Amino acid sequence: MARRQALALTLVSFFAWSTWELVRPARNPFMDLSGVFTDQFSHMNAARVFMRHGSDVWRVPLQRLESRPSREQFDALPDELKRRPETLFVVPGWHKPISQSWASVVRFYPPGDMLLTAPVAALYHFTSLSFADANRLLLVLFLCAAHAGLFVLLEGLLGQPEPARFSGALAGYLAVNCTLRWTLEGFYDACIFLPLLLSWRYLGQRRGLAAVVAFCAAAFLHFRAFYYGPWALAGAWLFVRDRQWRGFARKDFLALAAAAVMGAASLYSFALSLPGLLQFEQQSALVITANHFDKPALLLAAGVAALAMAAFASARSWFDVAQVCWFALVLTNVRQSYAWYSLALIPWLVAPPRLAEPRKAGLVFDARIAVFLFLALYVHADGSHAVEAAVPTWIPRLLR
């Protein structure tokens, strides 16, 4: 019943939002809600640049790889490309220019983001597909990936025991609100929901290899999947402890090879882009560097974490204790912080708790919600957009 309900809700939502994307007027060629935070066209164009420059996309900023258009070249471009001239670059022999934000820094995404957008990138590059319509297709693609994750999310929450229904529903509401808002804005981060939630499910089934493969797939798509390092370690520990390599079939060796390739590709691209990432100015209130130490923010974060871990310990949810400790390690080292970073917390927020006493599942959800809201409203807050993590104030923009 939970699976049928989740499937019905997911399909209705996906077809409604994708239809809206496909039929709405292209008043904004970037096709996002604001025209400011748009990001999908950068992933599409990164796939085009990668075919020309290879791994340099993680080592050299785009503004050093390609040239800006001359006045004559700029005047000859379609009007839809002129809205944000700071994103434009031209390539000799290419009929369509490159339009990419963050051109002054290296690409800080793993290869999976380019593979995900490659079909639309090819259509845009080799056909007469317009920039606005390419962005429209990218948003539908991101909505598809997000809803695949939302299906697993809803299936897990709808199957929760009675004591956790209200808290689980609140976690689900926060997750869906945040997911739809930032996906419609042009961010693909929700694509990691499906592999990460499957990884959590496989851990519960004691399928160590499957859990690691799913984690590696998420890491191949987005670096913020590294937020879930404890899940990968747990899967590897199960694999080794239970000697799950015994009786391997061919498909198991293929799965192991796939995990190795995706994990290595993610780590390799991360290592290449890390020097560029370390050049970012400190923006997060929690980051600790030689030039930055926000004592009030860190004390507040420590208080929230301590209360959450006390609740987890009371419920004997030791995995959640480990996860909060890992979040603390990661977030005190990540320099950037934007409102859409809250998307990376959602798989943990909604993952069905596994407890010896199921009646305490509600307490676990409540503690997770407290951590999520603290990070979303305080750490990842982005001006007027902070409140949108809890309240869908973005919906009126759909009518404008």
Side-chain angles (χ1 to χ4, degrees):
M1 179 62 72
R3 176 168 295 182
R4 289 196 295 269
Q5 291 175 339
L7 182 60
L9 289 171
T10 304
L11 289 176
V12 168
S13 176
F14 171 69
F15 283 114
W17 288 112
S18 59
T19 299
W20 180 78
E21 283 291 351
L22 291 171
V23 303
R24 68 186 176 108
R27 296 189 178 94
N28 164 19
F30 298 99
M31 298 307 296
D32 62 338
L33 299 184
S34 64
V36 177
F37 291 102
T38 211
D39 208 40
Q40 74 273 20
F41 69 91
S42 295
H43 300 295
M44 174 186 72
N45 282 287
R48 299 172 68 207
V49 175
F50 179 78
M51 298 306 296
R52 177 174 165 85
H53 293 285
S55 61
D56 278 347
V57 298
W58 296 299
R59 291 184 292 212
V60 184
L62 179 61
Q63 65 182 15
R64 288 167 48 194
L65 292 173
E66 302 296 353
S67 303
R68 296 286 186 180
S70 64
R71 170 54 61 184
E72 293 76 15
Q73 290 172 320
F74 181 81
D75 291 341
L77 293 175
D79 290 340
E80 63 177 1
L81 287 168
K82 297 178 181 179
R83 181 158 178 162
R84 291 180 62 182
E86 75 280 5
T87 69
L88 293 176
F89 296 84
V90 292
V91 178
W94 285 15
H95 297 295
K96 295 179 180 178
I98 297 168
S99 182
Q100 184 175 304
S101 57
W102 298 90
S104 61
V105 296
V106 299
R107 290 298 294 170
F108 36 87
Y109 297 94
D113 90 300
M114 294 182 287
L115 184 63
L116 179 68
T117 58
V120 180
L123 280 174
Y124 178 67
H125 189 86
F126 293 109
T127 73
S128 60
L129 184 70
S130 70
F131 182 69
D133 286 340
N135 282 320
R136 196 191 296 269
L137 290 178
L138 286 167
L139 286 173
V140 173
L141 176 65
F142 292 175
L143 282 168
C144 181
H147 279 83
L150 289 178
F151 165 69
V152 181
L153 180 159
L154 292 172
E155 183 186 16
L157 291 178
L158 291 171
Q160 287 301 294
E162 188 65 34
R165 288 287 172 83
F166 177 78
S167 298
L170 179 56
Y173 157 75
L174 293 171
V176 172
N177 174 63
C178 188
T179 300
L180 291 177
R181 188 263 183 270
W182 290 114
T183 302
L184 291 171
E185 196 68 85
F187 295 91
Y188 85 111
D189 302 42
C191 69
I192 63 175
F193 290 2
L194 176 62
L196 284 175
L197 288 172
L198 287 178
S199 180
W200 178 254
R201 178 176 296 180
Y202 295 147
L203 286 175
Q205 298 169 353
R206 313 192 75 77
R207 297 170 59 188
L209 176 59
V212 171
V213 172
F215 172 84
C216 289
F220 183 71
L221 287 167
H222 206 300
F223 287 145
R224 275 193 282 279
F226 292 156
Y227 281 23
Y228 296 86
W231 295 15
L233 292 175
W237 180 75
L238 283 173
F239 180 76
V240 173
R241 190 198 67 175
D242 298 340
R243 299 183 181 182
Q244 294 181 359
W245 58 84
R246 294 179 298 182
F248 256 21
R250 182 180 178 182
K251 63 183 179 68
D252 298 309
F253 285 108
L254 291 175
L256 184 61
V261 170
M262 291 186 294
S266 180
L267 290 173
Y268 176 70
S269 56
F270 181 77
L272 291 180
S273 60
L274 184 58
L277 287 168
L278 293 177
Q279 294 177 10
F280 274 96
E281 180 182 355
Q282 296 90 345
Q283 294 173 302
S284 172
L286 298 186
V287 66
I288 300 175
T289 67
N291 302 319
H292 183 273
F293 187 88
D294 191 335
K295 185 175 181 180
L298 289 169
L299 288 175
L300 182 58
V304 173
L307 290 174
M309 287 193 290
F312 296 143
S314 173
R316 298 184 180 277
S317 183
W318 306 116
F319 220 118
D320 283 287
V321 173
Q323 188 65 60
V324 170
C325 292
W326 182 256
F327 281 155
L329 176 63
V330 171
L331 294 176
T332 51
N333 284 278
V334 174
R335 294 171 178 242
Q336 288 183 285
S337 183
Y338 293 100
W340 55 88
Y341 282 25
S342 300
L343 284 166
L345 306 170
I346 287 175
W348 171 69
L349 174 66
V350 301
R354 300 194 182 101
L355 307 171
E357 300 180 70
R359 62 185 179 83
K360 292 188 176 181
L363 177 62
V364 172
F365 275 126
D366 291 339
R368 290 178 182 176
I369 290 169
V371 174
F372 174 83
L373 289 177
F374 167 73
L375 293 173
L377 300 178
Y378 183 78
V379 177
H380 299 323
D382 192 4
S384 61
H385 300 285
V387 71
E388 292 179 344
V391 182
T393 55
W394 52 272
I395 289 181
R397 298 186 200 177
L398 305 179
L399 305 177
R400 294 203 292 269

